[in-house]
Amino acid sequence: MKDKKEIVEEIKHQPNAENPYRLLKLRLTPVEKFAAGIPALKAAVTDLIEEKTVLRGARALFRMNQKGGFDCPSCAWPDPDDERSPLGEYCENGVKALAEEATTKRVTPEFFRQHSVYDLARLDDYEIGKMGRLTDPMYLPEGGTHYQPISWEDAFKKIAEHFNRLESPDEAAFYTSGRTSNEASFVYQLFAKEFGTNNMPDCSNMCHETSGSALRPTIGIGKGTVRLDDFYDTDVIVIIGQNPGTNAPRMMSALEKGKRNGAKIIAINPLPEAGLMGFHNPQEVNGIFGRGGKLTDLYLPVRINGDMALLKALELLLLDFEKRHPGKVLDKEFIEGKTIGYTEFLKQFDHLELEDLARLSGVSAKDLYLAAEMMAFKKRIIVCWGMGLTQQPNGVDMIREILNILLLKGSIGIPGGGVCPVRGHSNVQGNRTMMIDEKPTDEQLDRLENFYGFKMPRRHGYDVVKAIKAIHEEKVRVMFCMGGNFLSATPDTTYTANALRKLNLLVCVSTKLNRSHLIHGKEAIILPTYGRSDKDIVKGEVQIVSTENSMGVVQSSKGVLDAGSDNLVNETQIVCRMAMAVLGDRSVVSWQRYHDSYDAVRDDIEQCIPGFENYNVRIREKGGFYLPNGARDSQDFAKQFGGRAPFTLTEIPDNHLEEDEYMMATTRTHDQFNTTIYGLDDRYRGIKNERRVVFMNQKDIDKAGFKAGDKVDLYNFDDGIERVAPLFIIVSYAIPEKNTMTYFPETNVLVSVNNVVKESNMPASKYVKIKIKKHNPEVYQKVDEMLYRGYKQRDSI
């Protein structure tokens, strides 16, 4: 790894005319059939070494995800309720996330003095992220070329000036990342509401908003209905549109345990991912030195957006099994007592044929039959999904179709059965519980209004997609980002970048440098804060914060590392100081009380959000506590249907592609978490040293006249606009014909801001129609001008 100064200087002085994206020598290695094991251990240690934090990071690892320790800053997979492994409750990606937090590299005011925004913006996201931890608040004045230091007091004054200059509170937007704690999330949404707006776009709007939109109206809660222990004692686990080995590696331990206890696993995905197929458990001798264990019993290689046809095929087959074995397949008692709409639901199957559904799904009728047979005579069925479903235009309907299957079987709200949306960031579910929501319910607002005594804004605010459009239309003039990397996470990169430049002020609360600091508003402020592993000290005492995992467990998190700077402020205090600066005497909230005490924040959460009774006592209990879940605990489903769950009628989409079109889905490598890129390899898929690749079926490569290894440009023409992602390398892969896969954020530029999921309004990043053309070097110059126009002239002043 080069020194960060060397990287910046190399980019600054290299024209990059022939190789503008600095393509490395792509090396293909065998695609792996098992996940984890010794390679995972080696990769984790390598990251600790690279971040120069071997001893510091290793000490912290033994406290990560342990009772009384700190919550992993990576994914939201739950920790065991009982005793946890003394060897460590973490995975390869958790180690990488910790290494980036515990790094000894620093981004100081001197660094910003030496390097202009333009120079830094020319780096890729990997290089930007490897610079280290931010140490001080920084300010970029209008027309400025370099960030400059600013005191915390002056930063809050500047923020207050901009907020108080707005003609309407709705000209402000408040973005939230899933890393933000319950306490910071609560005061953050409270400040936004007291300021007068519900413009609270958040990362849920890009990952599992679809899950909540599907589940709330049907089962009465927008969360999963299973506990971790359910995986250990179940009959069938279905994993659809989710890759455990990369997205939630500790999930593989639960799958392994369930399989050892007799569970069958069905994997449904366009790619045969290593983490679906097998697992080398690094905490067992056989996992390290032996052959490991097979996970999936049946793999169904569904084509992109063929999932709906597949799900309906399973239903058709289950109904046929019931005809041949009356009373042994469907749970008629559950259907009659706990659901509505069953008779109407059945009518569609008079017009469906298995062979048609098999053709539309891309999965053979034989394999569909085998999957249905695995489920037919079993009741304890868990269905897990990820963004492979939620980021498709009909994602809400597909999740409701999953519910239809579970309702037929009576497999929800029972031990070993239910739904499991596998969440991404470690407190993304807790953010929503804390009312980080652009559409708060009247019930939620009434409770806040009764407790605090000020009138709550009732108008729904902007989600991520609506916020981008509002910024572009100059309806939003100031944006405050609590964590995250907004530009790299969002769709339609050029459109979004041009929108952000129209802001009067963009404020980012961050631990590290990222792309959103470099494509900014007229003015920009960076506020450095603590990471999850850092000691958060208030009045001389190390504090605890709390988070909520994927299965509704609220638990404490207490950092163990000395912070890398004395000039950091925790997120809760940042919000409180901003609130006092902006609202002044207009506020009726005791912000200073919250500023001085997390316990005070939790006391008031208890008064405003059901399920948090005796919060300060229970959060200090080992393992935390479960939030109420009517669907899980008592089969109490949708209130509007008298506690029953409705069968949903859905349609099979028409996925027509022109002769020269392909369907593209974006995905992450095994060397990244969300927009944080740890390295340039994708070990499980056999990719070394490169991210700008496009996975294609060999038949498609041959038919188009390409060869594996060819350099190509990718195009999207939604909305009548040409979008282009230049200079990608073709990789032949086991993927359905006419389907392609690429990495984000590199191809977010191809995802139209108008390509969204019905009902949830999420970007449909797993459903992008593209054309592939031989690489044209002139395309790069065009893209470069769109992204960086104006910087060159300013940088030379």
Side-chain angles (χ1 to χ4, degrees):
M1 179 67 190
K2 296 179 181 178
D3 178 83
K4 57 193 174 190
K5 184 175 181 180
E6 291 178 326
I7 292 175
V8 175
E9 290 303 311
E10 177 182 302
I11 303 307
K12 185 175 181 180
H13 297 297
Q14 181 179 323
N16 295 320
E18 296 183 2
N19 189 12
Y21 286 98
R22 301 178 301 289
L23 291 180
L24 303 174
K25 291 184 178 180
L26 169 65
R27 184 161 64 90
L28 300 181
T29 59
V31 175
E32 300 203 11
K33 298 180 180 179
F34 288 81
I38 288 180
L41 294 173
K42 289 171 61 178
V45 172
T46 298
D47 258 58
L48 291 172
I49 294 171
E50 185 177 275
E51 296 298 335
K52 302 177 182 178
T53 186
V54 176
L55 295 179
R56 173 178 158 89
R59 284 197 301 268
L61 281 176
F62 288 102
R63 301 302 302 146
M64 188 161 76
N65 294 326
Q66 297 291 345
K67 295 175 181 179
F70 65 94
D71 195 32
C72 176
S74 190
C75 82
W77 189 253
D79 307 311
D81 288 336
D82 50 16
E83 290 305 311
R84 300 175 187 177
S85 170
L87 295 177
E89 286 289 343
Y90 51 82
C91 65
E92 175 187 346
N93 280 357
V95 177
K96 292 176 179 178
L98 175 64
E100 298 236 338
E101 274 198 1
T103 182
T104 57
K105 302 174 186 176
R106 300 289 177 260
V107 177
T108 64
E110 177 62 19
F111 171 85
F112 285 108
R113 188 188 69 78
Q114 293 177 0
H115 306 301
S116 71
V117 172
Y118 174 69
D119 285 340
L120 295 172
R122 299 311 302 272
L123 303 177
D124 61 35
D125 288 61
Y126 167 66
E127 293 164 330
I128 292 169
K130 287 297 182 181
M131 294 299 174
R133 290 287 298 272
L134 295 159
T135 62
D136 295 86
M138 304 301 297
Y139 169 62
L140 183 68
E142 184 169 2
T145 60
H146 292 65
Y147 274 97
Q148 58 194 44
I150 185 173
S151 70
W152 281 99
E153 183 178 0
D154 287 344
F156 290 123
K157 284 182 180 178
K158 179 69 68 175
I159 294 168
E161 288 172 6
H162 277 275
F163 276 129
N164 289 327
R165 196 183 300 157
L166 299 176
E167 295 182 4
S168 163
D170 288 328
E171 290 183 342
F174 300 89
Y175 176 73
T176 316
S177 159
R179 185 182 60 83
T180 308
S181 69
N182 283 350
E183 294 77 9
S185 296
F186 182 78
V187 296
Y188 189 46
Q189 62 82 30
L190 183 63
F191 166 65
K193 291 176 175 63
E194 192 173 25
F195 183 69
T197 187
N198 285 316
N199 288 344
M200 298 211 76
D202 76 306
C203 57
S204 286
N205 299 152
M206 293 180 284
C207 60
H208 274 281
E209 192 71 43
T210 297
S211 298
S213 298
L215 297 174
R216 276 190 298 271
T218 48
I219 61 170
I221 188 169
K223 304 178 182 181
T225 65
V226 296
R227 301 186 182 200
L228 185 58
D229 286 352
D230 289 320
F231 281 82
Y232 305 156
D233 192 14
T234 186
D235 297 317
V236 180
I237 302 170
V238 180
I239 306 167
I240 178 168
Q242 199 258 336
N243 177 13
T246 292
N247 301 343
R250 288 196 301 149
M251 179 179 175
M252 292 186 293
S253 297
L255 296 176
E256 179 186 56
K257 191 168 184 178
K259 189 167 178 63
R260 286 176 177 173
N261 290 335
K264 297 293 184 182
I265 298 177
I266 302 171
I268 305 169
N269 200 61
L271 300 184
E273 305 285 16
L276 292 171
M277 299 305 163
F279 178 44
H280 286 283
N281 192 330
Q283 295 199 2
E284 296 182 359
V285 173
N286 183 55
I288 296 177
F289 300 107
R291 299 177 60 184
K294 179 184 175 184
L295 288 180
T296 292
D297 294 281
L298 179 64
Y299 167 60
L300 305 180
V302 67
R303 63 166 52 105
I304 294 173
N305 205 237
D307 312 78
M308 181 62 83
L310 184 151
L311 294 169
K312 287 187 182 291
L314 294 180
E315 292 165 340
L316 181 67
L317 288 163
L318 289 173
L319 291 170
D320 184 61
F321 272 111
E322 175 66 18
K323 289 178 183 177
R324 290 186 280 133
H325 306 276
K328 295 185 178 180
V329 178
L330 305 187
D331 188 336
K332 291 293 182 67
E333 182 179 350
F334 177 89
I335 292 171
E336 292 174 7
K338 291 294 183 179
T339 74
I340 62 170
Y342 174 64
T343 302
E344 191 67 24
F345 170 76
L346 291 180
K347 293 179 182 178
Q348 64 183 302
F349 296 99
D350 294 336
H351 312 288
L352 295 178
E353 297 291 338
L354 179 60
E355 290 300 328
D356 291 337
L357 296 172
R359 176 178 51 81
L360 291 170
S361 70
V363 178
S364 71
K366 176 184 176 182
D367 282 346
L368 291 170
Y369 181 89
L370 290 175
E373 187 177 43
M374 281 185 184
M375 301 168 68
F377 304 102
K378 305 295 183 181
K379 186 178 178 69
R380 299 181 304 170
I381 302 170
I382 297 172
V383 183
C384 313
W385 66 85
M387 290 188 286
L389 283 194
T390 66
Q391 289 185 337
Q392 296 193 49
N394 59 336
V396 171
D397 277 351
M398 288 196 289
I399 292 170
R400 289 177 181 162
E401 204 66 50
I402 288 171
L403 282 170
N404 286 342
I405 293 175
L406 296 178
L407 294 179
L408 287 173
K409 298 289 297 174
S411 299
I412 188 167
I414 63 170
V419 293
C420 179
V422 182
R423 305 281 181 175
H425 220 152
S426 62
N427 197 39
V428 63
Q429 188 160 297
N431 293 166
R432 189 51 57 91
T433 301
M434 292 295 109
M435 296 180 285
I436 297 289
D437 193 343
E438 78 280 359
K439 300 186 293 288
T441 66
D442 285 338
E443 184 180 3
Q444 289 174 321
L445 294 174
D446 287 344
R447 284 195 295 266
L448 288 174
E449 200 165 290
N450 291 336
F451 184 75
Y452 286 103
F454 67 86
K455 191 172 181 60
M456 296 288 158
R458 299 279 169 164
R459 177 178 167 182
H460 286 175
Y462 298 131
D463 59 21
V464 164
V465 167
K466 290 180 180 178
I468 293 170
K469 293 180 178 180
I471 296 168
H472 215 289
E473 296 165 5
E474 301 187 51
K475 294 178 180 177
V476 168
R477 308 314 305 269
V478 177
M479 186 170 186
F480 191 100
C481 294
M482 182 62 77
N485 182 357
F486 189 81
L487 179 61
S488 292
T490 49
D492 222 338
T493 308
T494 304
Y495 178 89
T496 302
N498 289 335
L500 292 176
R501 291 191 180 100
K502 295 181 180 182
L503 289 167
N504 290 337
L505 176 68
L506 175 63
V507 183
C508 295
V509 178
S510 306
T511 58
K512 296 169 50 192
L513 192 66
N514 67 52
R515 177 77 54 197
S516 297
H517 304 141
L518 308 175
I519 306 292
H520 48 75
K522 296 171 186 174
E523 297 178 64
I525 294 175
I526 303 172
L527 301 178
T529 193
Y530 295 108
R532 190 72 60 73
S533 58
D534 294 331
K535 293 178 182 176
D536 183 352
I537 300 175
V538 177
K539 292 189 173 181
E541 293 188 7
V542 180
Q543 301 295 303
I544 61 168
V545 295
S546 57
T547 60
E548 178 185 344
N549 66 35
S550 272
M551 296 181 185
V553 177
V554 179
Q555 57 203 359
S556 67
S557 178
K558 186 176 184 179
V560 298
L561 297 176
D562 293 329
S565 168
D566 293 331
N567 205 16
L568 306 182
V569 174
N570 71 51
E571 291 175 324
T572 298
Q573 291 185 331
I574 287 173
V575 174
C576 292
R577 291 175 68 175
M578 175 171 62
M580 289 186 281
V582 173
L583 300 174
D585 294 338
R586 306 198 309 270
S587 178
V588 300
V589 177
S590 179
W591 294 108
Q592 188 65 51
R593 173 172 164 264
Y594 291 159
H595 177 280
D596 295 342
S597 171
Y598 280 118
D599 281 353
V601 178
R602 287 187 285 267
D603 282 341
D604 290 356
I605 291 173
E606 178 180 331
Q607 300 300 315
C608 297
I609 302 178
F612 285 85
E613 295 79 10
N614 211 15
Y615 194 1
N616 269 312
V617 172
R618 291 197 292 162
I619 199 58
R620 288 174 166 85
E621 294 173 354
K622 288 187 175 181
F625 59 93
Y626 279 90
L627 289 173
N629 188 316
R632 178 188 64 207
D633 301 334
S634 59
Q635 293 187 334
D636 183 14
F637 301 124
K639 289 182 180 179
Q640 66 270 35
F641 300 115
R644 295 172 178 242
F647 282 91
T648 304
L649 300 179
T650 63
E651 296 180 355
I652 300 173
D654 177 13
N655 292 319
H656 174 73
L657 291 169
E658 298 296 337
E659 184 69 19
D660 61 344
E661 281 186 325
Y662 304 87
M663 190 66 75
M664 182 192 81
T666 67
T667 190
R668 67 175 71 165
T669 74
H670 186 64
D671 232 0
Q672 78 179 89
F673 179 74
N674 294 344
T675 59
T676 301
I677 298 169
Y678 302 128
L680 299 176
D681 300 340
D682 192 2
R683 187 175 75 247
Y684 294 155
R685 299 187 184 111
I687 302 296
K688 300 282 288 184
N689 296 331
E690 191 49 69
R691 291 182 53 83
R692 299 188 77 83
V693 299
V694 52
F695 296 105
M696 295 181 68
N697 185 289
Q698 184 61 47
K699 291 181 180 179
D700 291 330
I701 297 172
D702 294 339
K703 188 174 182 180
F706 293 127
K707 300 187 302 295
D710 280 355
K711 296 175 182 178
V712 294
D713 300 328
L714 312 181
Y715 291 82
N716 169 268
F717 295 95
D718 286 355
D719 318 312
I721 298 171
E722 180 185 274
R723 298 175 180 84
V724 58
L727 198 52
F728 279 70
I729 302 173
I730 292 177
V731 173
S732 178
Y733 209 81
I735 187 172
E737 290 181 55
K738 298 289 279 185
N739 286 184
T740 64
M741 197 80 72
T742 59
Y743 301 137
F744 72 85
E746 286 82 356
T747 51
N748 286 356
V749 68
L750 299 175
V751 185
S752 166
V753 74
N754 296 311
N755 178 14
V756 296
V757 183
K758 181 182 176 183
E759 289 191 48
S760 69
N761 205 41
M762 269 180 50
S765 300
K766 299 293 188 288
Y767 187 94
V768 184
K769 293 182 179 181
I770 65 168
K771 295 187 178 184
I772 303 176
K773 302 179 182 181
K774 182 179 178 180
H775 173 58
N776 178 0
E778 294 180 2
V779 170
Y780 167 73
Q781 301 297 334
K782 181 178 178 181
V783 173
D784 180 66
E785 177 63 23
M786 285 190 296
L787 283 177
Y788 300 111
R789 66 178 182 272
Y791 279 114
K792 295 178 182 179
Q793 182 179 357
R794 284 167 47 193
D795 200 45
S796 64
I797 296 175

